[in-house]
Amino acid sequence: MELTEAHRDYWRKNLRMTALLLTIWFVVTFVMAFYARELATINFFGWPLSFYMAAQGSLIIYVLIIGFYAMYMRKLDIEHGVAEGEEQ
Amino acid sequence: MSQTFNQQLKKYYSFYTLGFVSFVVILGIAEQMGMPRLYIGYAFLAATILLYASIGVMSRTLDVAEYYVAGRKVPALFNGMATGADWMSAASFIGMAGGLYLQGFDGLAFIMGWTGGYCLVALFLAPYLRKFGQFTIPDFLGARYGGNFVRSIGVFAAILVSFVYVVAQIYGVGLITSRFTGLAFEIGVFVGLLGILVCSFLGGMKAVTWTQVAQYIILIVAYMIPVVWLSVKETGIPIPQLVYGSVLEKVTALEKKLTVDPKELEVRKIFADRAKAAGEKMKAGVEPSYNADRAALVAKVDELKAAPTPDGAAIQAAEKAVDSFPKDGKAYEAQLKGQQGQAGRAAAPLPHGTPFVGVGKTDEEKKKSSDNKRNNFLALVFSLMVGTAALPHILMRYYTTPSVHEARVSVFWSLFFIFLLYFTAPALAVLVKYDIYTNIVGLPFADLPQWVNSWQAVDRALLSIVDINRDGIVQLAEIAIGQDIIVLVTPEIAGLPYVISGLVAAGGLAAALSTADGLLLTIANALSHDVYYKMVNPDATTARRITISKVLLLVVAGSAAWVTSYKPGDILFLVGAAFSLAAAAFFPALVLGIFWKRANKIAAVFGMLAGLGTVIYYMLRTYPFFTNMGVPKMDLWFAIAPIGSGVFGVTVGMTVMIVVSLLTKAPDQATQDLIEHVRYPSIKGDTLNTAGT
């Protein structure tokens, strides 16, 4: 199996996007939780901000990360000629 | 073709949902006409198990690909629902909102930990495993690292993890069935087991998938109805997730008031004094204290009787006190320990919205305890997330989609459907808390609502409200509430008819059964596919492979039920242990296997064993269940509780794998080709075909 430049490019872009989304995931999860006490003083529609983020905000971001990744990769598949046919 | 299949499925499940709703409505009408509660419980149990059984019978199969991976025909949306049901266990459905009620902010570690892991599944695993496309997780390890040794470690870890987890599920099944039908716990376990086996036995993964979709619909409907109703009752708005912020503000204000309320202080002082007195008596020795206390009570009776004008009522009360005094030293010791154990009830109410509340006498102690809670929160979130991305019964689900693209989309649907329940649970906890703070606290004991008495009668550990300071009014400190009751009691707090309680029980049962199904299948498949077919008898015919798998399913289910009937303690710990074990055993080997070509066999062996070993060692040496059995106890590492030990296991496993890989030689060309193969959904001229048959 020979990898072309398009293939290598596909994988590089995939890795870059993976790293970016993973960074968002890390900040939303661990950085926010680490500073939860400080963020609790901010009021967000009635919730302390850290409570809102842990109970709802971070979850919404997780769902968006996964949805975005699926769409982005679909586009990347087609652009780089590695998409699957209708029947695999 | 796949389009029409998708349309058909949507039609079937819409009809099914309508049918189920009509069933609930009819039962509701029957209840109004006087159908007894017990029959409603039976009706739900019988109807749902019959339903799962008929899906099982309709999906029976003798095809290997259908039996192991549902023929790889499950559309993303439906695989998402099935994963949701597979994922959400009795602990999520019954226990989580209760955990949040009791722990406030710190309990949110479970909310984040049990959702955020899907980002790791989507980014690191699902699409690549789908492209690889065989049957089990050990399959991938075996192919990527070569040889049966890595596969065997994978099989061992998959079985260990799934078995620990399935015991917790069957326990939940037994609990729910026995509570809502009045059957004994052991019989409840057996009935539940039948419910599990009817669908998985005949149709394997195919039947389990379509049953799980049906179970998801039941469990989400059952979870939402009471919360929405309660939200309308408290706020007038039927979207609890949007509006409970304002309710949380009110709860916080009430907490502040209750913290300094004189009556509350009085009750808390009684608990503190009792605990202190009990501690002193224990110190003085159980036997002498027992004799002294008893003698004092007897003397009191004599003294009253000897009085010039004996007071009949007082004498009777004093005699009753002697009668109800513990019969022997052992019972007396248990009573003292119970009073010591209630020392926690002398504490002021926990501020629900405040993260990491520190306790201690000085500011320095408080800061230290607060930091400690924060570290444990982070470690727990990490272990649960990485564990999510390593549980074989979840990862296996992404083998069942038609394509790599569908696998990616299906992770999105999975988390979406899980999210619906998980972002509701914190709202439920806050709404119930508000209701109890306003409608129960301050109520005269004579006016307590009916549900308080009926649940107190079921089990005092779930709910007990006792007039400690004898003022006839309920104080918050007089209420002891158990984690598992919150969800079950919500319909009654919201003032809904009993049929909704039955629905909630059916939802809890669906959650436990669906998870147990996925787990049992994982264990049976690891044994029949990985051990029997791949290692013992590679020439076996398909018919034989399926027969072996079914026999093993029965054996595994039977032994899991047998272990469960011994009631092996803490469900939450069992579940937490499963996550940490899975994280340490699988995550480094799977992810490095896909993303790092340099990772090799010997490194995988050492890495998996080191990770798994670390977690097992840490749990054995620090968890009270084991240390009480005589395992020498050791100090916690960085004060991290054993439930978060995945953080050590993953770090050790990852480090060992990287170091050993770099010290030994790179994998051969065939392995490199396999890695390229799984990285691209489709490559022209790629002759490698890893799809399992």
Side-chain angles (χ1 to χ4, degrees), chain A residues 15-88:
Chain A
L15 286 184
R16 216 174 298 148
M17 183 50 68
T18 305
L20 174 71
L21 295 176
L22 205 64
T23 312
I24 299 176
W25 167 84
F26 182 84
V27 171
V28 166
T29 308
F30 295 104
V31 178
M32 293 288 257
F34 190 88
Y35 292 106
R37 285 172 300 194
E38 287 76 5
L39 295 171
T41 51
I42 304 168
N43 187 306
F44 183 84
F45 296 104
W47 288 275
L49 182 60
S50 47
F51 190 96
Y52 178 81
M53 283 310 292
Q56 204 172 103
S58 58
L59 276 65
I60 295 173
I61 296 173
Y62 298 150
V63 175
L64 292 178
I65 287 177
I66 299 174
F68 175 80
Y69 181 70
M71 279 188 335
Y72 176 84
M73 289 307 287
R74 176 65 165 178
K75 210 173 113 235
L76 213 60
D77 287 350
I78 295 168
E79 278 172 10
H80 293 75
V82 296
E84 306 143 297
E86 179 56 23
E87 284 299 339
Q88 118 101 10

Side-chain angles (χ1 to χ4, degrees), chain B residues 374-626:
Chain B
R374 180 197 61 203
N375 297 345
N376 269 292
F377 185 96
L378 294 172
L380 181 57
V381 168
F382 179 88
S383 301
L384 295 177
M385 284 193 179
V386 179
T388 305
L391 281 175
H393 75 287
I394 292 301
L395 296 179
M396 208 168 77
R397 288 231 54 95
Y398 298 102
Y399 281 134
T400 66
T401 58
S403 66
V404 174
H405 171 65
E406 293 252 345
R408 293 189 198 117
V409 178
S410 134
V411 188
F412 168 77
W413 285 119
S414 306
L415 184 60
F416 177 77
F417 289 123
I418 292 165
F419 162 78
L420 288 183
L421 190 143
Y422 277 52
F423 92 128
T424 310
L428 173 63
V430 169
L431 288 169
V432 171
K433 204 167 217 177
Y434 180 67
D435 196 282
I436 290 194
Y437 282 13
T438 50
N439 294 339
I440 304 292
V441 173
L443 210 64
F445 268 83
D447 298 348
L448 279 176
Q450 176 57 37
W451 60 264
V452 172
N453 297 324
S454 58
W455 280 98
Q456 289 205 90
V458 173
D459 188 348
R460 303 290 284 187
L462 285 176
L463 181 68
S464 117
I465 308 184
V466 181
D467 195 2
I468 302 289
N469 61 350
R470 299 178 190 281
D471 66 346
I473 305 286
V474 178
Q475 271 83 39
L476 177 62
E478 291 172 345
I479 304 174
I481 200 159
Q483 167 161 338
D484 292 339
I485 193 185
I486 302 289
V487 168
L488 297 176
V489 86
T490 309
E492 286 157 287
I493 292 182
L496 287 162
Y498 186 78
V499 68
I500 302 296
S501 300
L503 176 65
V504 170
L509 198 62
L513 288 178
S514 55
T515 308
D517 258 331
L519 291 162
L520 284 177
L521 208 57
T522 303
I523 302 175
N525 291 356
L527 290 170
S528 68
H529 177 75
D530 289 303
V531 176
Y532 177 74
Y533 178 58
K534 290 285 179 176
M535 296 186 208
V536 177
N537 181 7
D539 302 323
T541 60
T542 46
R544 189 168 173 79
R545 282 161 68 189
I546 290 187
T547 313
I548 293 271
S549 193
K550 288 181 174 175
V551 172
L552 284 167
L553 192 66
L554 289 182
V555 174
V556 173
S559 40
W562 178 70
V563 172
T564 312
S565 65
Y566 283 93
K567 301 193 181 178
D570 196 344
I571 291 197
L572 193 64
F573 178 75
L574 287 177
V575 172
F579 277 80
S580 285
L581 289 168
F586 288 114
F587 190 76
L590 288 175
V591 172
L592 291 180
I594 294 164
F595 284 85
W596 196 39
K597 289 186 186 168
R598 193 66 181 69
N600 61 21
K601 178 179 171 179
I602 183 93
V605 169
F606 279 108
M608 290 176 79
L609 289 178
L612 201 57
T614 307
V615 173
I616 294 176
Y617 173 80
Y618 193 71
M619 284 182 180
L620 283 177
R621 297 286 310 267
T622 59
Y623 188 60
F625 179 80
F626 299 114

Side-chain angles (χ1 to χ4, degrees), chain B residues 38 41-42 44-46 48-49 94 169-196 488 498 504-506 508-510 512-513:
Chain B
L38 197 60
Y42 281 131
F44 269 112
L45 187 70
T48 50
I49 290 197
I94 302 284
Q169 298 313 312
I170 298 183
Y171 189 86
V173 170
L175 217 59
I176 296 168
T177 349
S178 61
R179 188 152 300 150
F180 276 83
T181 58
L183 298 170
F185 176 81
E186 289 75 14
I187 300 178
V189 165
F190 181 72
V191 171
L193 202 61
L194 279 181
I196 296 166
L488 297 176
Y498 186 78
V504 170
L509 198 62
L513 288 178

Side-chain angles (χ1 to χ4, degrees), chain B residues 144-375:
Chain B
R144 167 63 178 83
Y145 294 108
N148 280 341
F149 194 53
V150 180
R151 185 192 285 274
S152 313
I153 302 173
V155 169
F156 170 76
I159 293 174
L160 176 68
V161 167
S162 305
F163 199 83
V164 170
Y165 205 165
V166 84
V167 166
Q169 298 313 312
I170 298 183
Y171 189 86
V173 170
L175 217 59
I176 296 168
T177 349
S178 61
R179 188 152 300 150
F180 276 83
T181 58
L183 298 170
F185 176 81
E186 289 75 14
I187 300 178
V189 165
F190 181 72
V191 171
L193 202 61
L194 279 181
I196 296 166
L197 287 175
V198 283
C199 47
S200 48
F201 186 71
L202 292 171
M205 192 62 159
K206 185 182 169 198
V208 166
T209 302
W210 302 123
T211 316
Q212 281 173 339
V213 176
Q215 285 164 331
Y216 177 79
I217 295 171
I218 294 184
L219 79 86
I220 200 71
V221 170
Y223 204 82
M224 289 296 177
I225 289 180
V227 195
V228 169
W229 203 272
L230 191 60
S231 173
V232 172
K233 186 185 164 200
E234 305 293 358
T235 66
I237 298 167
I239 311 170
Q241 301 87 349
L242 276 184
V243 296
Y244 76 99
S246 62
V247 182
L248 179 58
E249 276 184 320
K250 290 186 208 161
V251 167
T252 308
L254 284 169
E255 277 157 359
K256 284 194 182 124
K257 211 178 93 198
L258 291 170
T259 305
V260 293
D261 183 270
K263 287 278 187 188
E264 295 286 344
L265 289 170
E266 184 186 313
V267 175
R268 293 206 290 267
K269 185 163 184 312
I270 295 175
F271 278 117
D273 289 348
R274 265 192 202 168
K276 203 173 151 211
E280 275 161 11
K281 283 176 191 165
M282 293 278 274
K283 222 187 241 166
V286 173
E287 208 57 38
S289 301
Y290 175 74
N291 293 333
D293 276 6
R294 198 184 153 77
L297 288 174
V298 174
K300 180 94 189 282
V301 175
D302 293 343
E303 186 194 311
L304 285 167
K305 277 184 178 161
T309 47
D311 175 355
I315 293 176
Q316 251 182 8
E319 278 175 338
K320 206 176 153 204
V322 175
D323 280 346
S324 60
F325 193 74
K327 293 281 168 278
D328 50 32
K330 215 170 174 187
Y332 179 75
E333 192 180 358
Q335 192 186 33
L336 288 183
K337 279 194 177 147
Q339 286 172 348
Q340 271 190 309
Q342 287 182 334
R345 292 181 64 181
L350 179 83
H352 192 89
T354 311
F356 323 135
V357 182
V359 287
K361 290 195 180 68
T362 61
D363 280 353
E364 200 181 328
E365 270 181 42
K366 277 187 189 158
K367 170 94 172 62
K368 204 173 157 218
S369 120
S370 176
D371 283 352
N372 191 0
K373 281 188 179 176
R374 180 197 61 203
N375 297 345

